[in-house]
Amino acid sequence: MFGNGKNGSNGGERRDGDGAIIALAGVRKVYDTGAVKVEALRKVDLSIKRNEFVAIVGPSGSGKSTLMNILGCLDTATEGSYRLRGEEVSGMSIDRLADIRNRRIGFVFQNFNLLPQLTAFENVEMPLLFKGAPAKERRERVESLLGQVGLADRMQHRPVELSGGQMQRVAIARALACEPDIILADEPTGNLDSAAGGDIIGKFEELWAKGHTLVLITHDGAIARRTRRVVRVQDGTVVDDAPAA
Amino acid sequence: MRALALIVRLFRGAAKIQRKRMILTVTAIAWGTVAIILLLSFGEGLKRSLQTGSRGLGENIVIIWMGETEKAYAGLPAGRPIRLVPDDVDLVLAGVPEIASAAGEMHNWNVQLVNGRTALNKRVVGVHPAYEELRTSYPRSGGRYIDELDQKLKRRVVFLGDQLAKDLFGAGDPVGKTLLVADTPFTVIGVLQKKKQMGMYGGPDADRATIPLSTFEAMFGRRYLSNLVYQPTRNALAPVAKRHLMEVLGAKYRFDPADTRALQFWDTIEDAKRLDAIMIGLQAFLGVIGALTLIIGGVGVANIMFATVTHRTREIGVQMALGARRVYITGSIVLESLALTFAGGVIGIGVGVTIVQVLAAVQAHVKSEAMEVLGTPTISIPIAVATVTLLGLIGLLAGYFPARRAVTVQPAEALRFE
Ligand SMILES: Nc1ncnc2c1ncn2[C@@H]1O[C@H](COP(=O)(O)OP(=O)(O)OP(=O)(O)O)[C@@H](O)[C@H]1O
Ligand SMILES: [Mg+2]
């Protein structure tokens, strides 16, 4: 099997043997909603190397978003090990996890998750504020990022004044603000028409070419084919893991 | 700075959505602030009123009345009356170094005073000149009090209480005029400056005529003092002064210095201490009531902050996903809570101070006994400090608990929130 997590969990060095940047081993996630316990993930082993371009596919409710949340340190696994750049994530303090999300991971969501009161500029600036970057650096970085996604003339617009594709481009600019290694995207094109969606995937391809590691969840087979590796999830576990056709 | 500006923007966004609740909350805090300011400043006014009232009798003085021995002493039986004479004042001053000042006092409570066609039967007292300071009986301008020369020469001069002067002479200035005291002509030398007097014996100082003690003795053929007033050098020395005084007089009149009935004491120093204690208790009580009112407002703030946090769960989730540390999120929520509290506090302080000032102005015009005792509501610096501190504390706590809840959820959960 390709990239078995077991390979990536030997020892505590910064880079695992096969250069895995993400290494899940035996990860379980149980949602305890009081009355019922939902086992959203069971025994997931997954290893992703630096500069991979991975699609995660699978039926609705199979656990894709749950997996993505754990990869992004937005949630913690009930059981199992998650090594990010060789470092065990479980047991890290809340603020340490916040720093990891700030510096190492960029998120792109299906529903954009821009802050509605803030302008495009301010939305992109936010991670830099959390990082503590000085004002001049922030300004230059935000202007350059918004320029790269073709929104140099929309910087002072609020999310409601932007189209879906534009909002998602702001979100991509925001995800890149602190130059993360990893970009995680949960159905980034789900709320976009095919033209805007294709445009967004084009942006992802550019990022991959620049050396970023990308993981994206998608329902769209056409999009999955544009990645380099497809991980199929079903009933909370990885059932197939192969290079994109 | 930029972070702060950002917090303010988020705050404004939230304010738009929750305007109604925010107005209610700010009002609740403002009301609580008004309550605490009014209660405390009335307490302060009452305290000051009582303090000046007790100063009307005299500051830090002790008054002695004649008594009767309770213990047999040196072969003498119990039940002997002890009577002091004017010379005992010099004896006490010479023999008790802890006594700074003393004066003897004789009373005749029914003496006819005649000015032309006005005749009144009033109390006349004879005193030593030191009485002026001891009993805060200062003359108003244009007049003077009885002095050593009056005492030495047994002059026929009279010092009038302000009320009595008005009753005898009307609105005009009586200084220099002649007054018949028990058919003997006396010259009026001064009139009492109006004062607030709460503690008293033998009627208010405003309603009596005062003459030199020597003149009194000669005129009414008296030997014994009605009472003796003294002031210790320092309040802390009052018990020592009292003990030494009992020893000095006990030696002269042959009574046991430990005999508590030989002389009767009214210790206004003790009274003042007790009054202070009561006032502290009263102010604490009023403060607690005010604080409770304010805390109810604080619960309102906490409530709206909980609502805000719930409303903004998703935004908070986004901020966490972007790498906001806990302190940033809790900080912005606490700041918001402080802003609400201080908005209410500023309004409350403004309204409270205005009410206090209006009441003070009204009181200056309306004269009534009850109002006089109640005193003028006064805002002191400790009141202002206490109010602001309490507001700050409430703001902090009302923000802290919702903020703590906001950061305990996992970002993934917060992001799912609709
Ligand atoms: N917070 C939660 N509490 C309880 N159950 C949850 C929670 N989140 C997800 N689940 C359950 O876990 C399972 C996996 O959900 P998940 O969102 O990961 O699926 P998904 O593959 O992303 O689906 P979709 O394609 O519809 O987005 C589902 O059965 C879902 O009901
Ligand atoms: Mg999903």
Side-chain angles (χ1 to χ4, degrees):
Chain A
M1 229 220 304
F2 189 92
N4 188 308
K6 286 286 184 315
N7 300 339
S9 57
N10 52 345
E13 68 268 37
R14 296 282 300 167
R15 289 289 183 280
D16 289 45
D18 58 358
I21 191 167
I22 283 170
L24 295 186
V27 164
R28 247 182 109 224
K29 177 69 188 179
V30 179
Y31 289 109
D32 191 348
T33 56
V36 280
K37 286 190 174 151
V38 181
E39 192 176 31
L41 291 179
R42 42 200 177 103
K43 286 240 3 110
V44 171
D45 297 327
L46 180 65
S47 174
I48 295 172
K49 280 187 256 181
R50 176 169 290 277
N51 196 212
E52 277 200 87
F53 190 4
V54 184
I56 296 180
V57 298
S60 182
S62 55
K64 303 183 298 293
S65 294
T66 305
L67 177 59
M68 184 71 89
N69 286 340
I70 287 171
L71 292 183
C73 300
L74 294 172
D75 208 345
T76 49
T78 312
E79 233 180 84
S81 143
Y82 173 22
R83 286 169 167 275
L84 182 66
R85 292 159 56 101
E87 260 185 295
E88 182 58 53
V89 164
S90 62
M92 276 187 187
S93 75
I94 292 174
D95 284 342
R96 180 88 171 78
L97 291 173
D99 287 349
I100 286 180
R101 291 192 295 269
N102 185 237
R103 316 279 172 100
R104 304 272 171 237
I105 303 168
F107 295 96
V108 181
F109 302 95
Q110 178 173 1
N111 55 5
F112 322 125
N113 273 332
L114 298 178
L115 296 184
Q117 304 94 339
L118 304 187
T119 61
F121 184 97
E122 288 165 331
N123 267 288
V124 177
E125 188 186 23
M126 190 154 269
L128 293 161
L129 279 171
F130 295 144
K131 184 185 166 195
K136 185 166 171 286
E137 186 190 319
R138 292 200 306 266
R139 165 161 292 277
E140 286 169 3
R141 181 99 189 113
V142 174
E143 282 172 357
S144 133
L145 284 166
L146 284 171
Q148 282 170 42
V149 296
L151 291 174
D153 55 343
R154 293 284 189 277
M155 290 201 281
Q156 296 311 321
H157 289 234
R158 299 200 179 200
V160 285
E161 298 156 353
L162 298 172
S163 73
Q166 286 172 330
M167 281 197 268
Q168 200 59 303
R169 278 186 278 156
V170 172
I172 289 173
R174 182 179 67 178
L176 294 172
C178 295
E179 301 176 74
D181 315 328
I182 305 165
I183 309 285
L184 301 178
D186 193 343
E187 306 201 29
T189 60
N191 284 2
L192 304 177
D193 61 32
S194 58
D199 177 40
I200 294 297
I201 297 306
K203 275 274 166 291
F204 282 151
E205 283 170 333
E206 278 174 36
L207 293 173
W208 175 59
K210 280 186 188 159
H212 289 278
T213 308
L214 288 108
V215 180
L216 69 93
I217 295 177
T218 183
H219 272 122
D220 188 334
I223 289 172
R225 273 192 295 280
R226 285 171 74 170
T227 67
R228 291 298 174 277
R229 174 181 167 195
V230 178
V231 173
R232 183 168 301 275
V233 177
Q234 206 165 332
D235 289 333
T237 148
V238 177
V239 292
D240 189 28
D241 189 343
Chain B
M1 220 33 237
R2 180 84 190 155
L4 207 73
L6 209 74
I7 290 169
V8 170
R9 288 202 70 155
L10 288 168
F11 167 67
R12 276 219 309 265
K16 253 179 233 151
I17 301 157
Q18 310 230 7
R19 176 162 291 159
K20 215 166 168 184
R21 259 205 264 199
M22 269 185 167
I23 290 170
L24 280 174
T25 307
V26 169
T27 312
I29 287 286
W31 165 242
T33 310
V34 169
I36 197 169
I37 284 183
L38 285 187
L39 286 169
L40 286 179
S41 53
F42 269 98
E44 183 75 15
L46 181 62
K47 178 173 130 190
R48 292 192 182 183
S49 154
L50 291 181
Q51 276 171 350
T52 49
S54 62
R55 256 203 298 282
L57 178 64
E59 259 177 300
N60 309 320
I61 57 169
V62 180
I63 304 150
I64 311 175
W65 281 270
M66 316 304 126
E68 214 172 68
T69 58
E70 189 182 41
K71 298 177 179 173
Y73 183 69
L76 294 164
R80 277 183 310 123
I82 302 300
R83 306 223 146 139
L84 303 182
V85 295
D87 285 348
D88 289 336
V89 171
D90 297 323
L91 182 70
V92 160
L93 281 173
V96 185
E98 294 83 9
I99 288 182
S101 166
E105 182 172 2
M106 289 181 183
H107 283 234
N108 187 339
W109 60 273
N110 193 12
V111 178
Q112 195 175 51
L113 305 174
V114 179
N115 169 40
R117 308 193 57 156
T118 315
L120 294 171
N121 280 356
K122 288 289 177 186
R123 180 180 299 267
V124 170
V125 299
V127 301
H128 283 125
Y131 197 83
E132 175 183 8
E133 298 268 340
L134 285 167
R135 293 275 281 93
T136 51
S137 299
Y138 301 109
R140 65 185 184 213
S141 64
R144 66 173 180 88
Y145 200 72
I146 290 153
D147 63 19
E148 291 295 345
L149 213 58
D150 298 331
Q151 167 73 8
K152 204 171 147 202
L153 301 177
K154 297 186 189 163
R155 277 183 181 153
R156 290 191 177 138
V157 291
V158 64
F159 180 84
L160 297 175
D162 49 326
Q163 186 58 47
L164 181 59
K166 205 157 140 202
D167 294 346
L168 284 167
F169 291 92
D173 184 7
V175 173
K177 299 218 170 108
T178 301
L179 177 72
L180 290 180
V181 179
D183 297 328
T184 311
F186 274 67
T187 306
V188 177
I189 53 169
V191 176
L192 179 69
Q193 218 174 70
K194 185 172 166 51
K195 68 176 177 181
K196 195 185 251 184
Q197 181 186 3
M198 275 179 179
M200 57 185 70
Y201 55 92
D205 294 354
D207 201 28
R208 54 162 70 160
T210 309
I211 62 175
L213 188 64
S214 53
T215 317
F216 191 103
E217 286 179 76
M219 232 176 116
F220 299 109
R222 292 279 193 87
R223 274 192 63 201
Y224 298 115
L225 295 175
S226 305
N227 51 271
L228 186 152
V229 184
Y230 73 85
Q231 185 176 48
T233 48
R234 281 193 286 127
N235 283 352
L237 290 177
V240 185
K242 181 177 172 180
R243 204 174 65 231
H244 286 168
L245 177 129
M246 288 297 277
E247 282 166 12
V248 167
L249 293 176
K252 178 176 172 187
Y253 292 104
R254 303 182 61 71
F255 63 80
D256 185 345
D259 191 335
T260 52
R261 288 296 188 81
L263 294 170
Q264 286 166 17
F265 286 81
W266 178 5
D267 188 345
T268 69
I269 300 165
E270 275 301 309
D271 287 1
K273 264 194 228 161
R274 216 167 299 136
L275 180 68
D276 280 351
I278 291 171
M279 284 322 298
I280 287 171
L282 180 68
Q283 282 189 310
F285 175 70
L286 293 176
V288 165
I289 293 178
L292 283 178
T293 317
L294 199 49
I295 284 166
I296 291 168
V299 171
V301 175
N303 205 37
I304 198 175
M305 290 317 298
F306 269 117
T308 305
V309 164
T310 308
H311 187 86
R312 296 217 313 248
T313 301
R314 198 193 178 87
E315 275 177 30
I316 290 169
V318 172
Q319 292 179 21
M320 289 198 281
L322 298 180
R325 289 183 169 203
R326 270 175 306 177
V327 42
Y328 182 86
I329 290 165
T330 51
S332 74
I333 293 167
V334 169
L335 209 80
E336 212 175 301
S337 160
L338 279 175
L340 280 178
T341 312
F342 272 100
V346 165
I347 295 171
I349 288 171
V351 172
V353 169
T354 311
I355 292 178
V356 164
Q357 261 157 11
V358 167
L359 282 180
V362 166
Q363 260 191 6
H365 289 282
V366 183
K367 301 266 179 225
S368 94
E369 202 119 326
M371 287 275 235
E372 208 155 303
V373 176
L374 193 57
T376 309
T378 313
I379 292 168
S380 67
I381 293 195
I383 292 178
V385 170
T387 309
V388 171
T389 309
L390 192 63
L391 281 169
L393 216 67
I394 285 174
L396 274 181
L397 288 180
Y400 173 74
F401 289 104
R404 207 181 52 170
R405 196 174 73 170
V407 291
T408 50
V409 296
Q410 289 284 353
E413 201 182 318
L415 283 166
R416 275 168 58 95
F417 189 84
E418 288 308 321

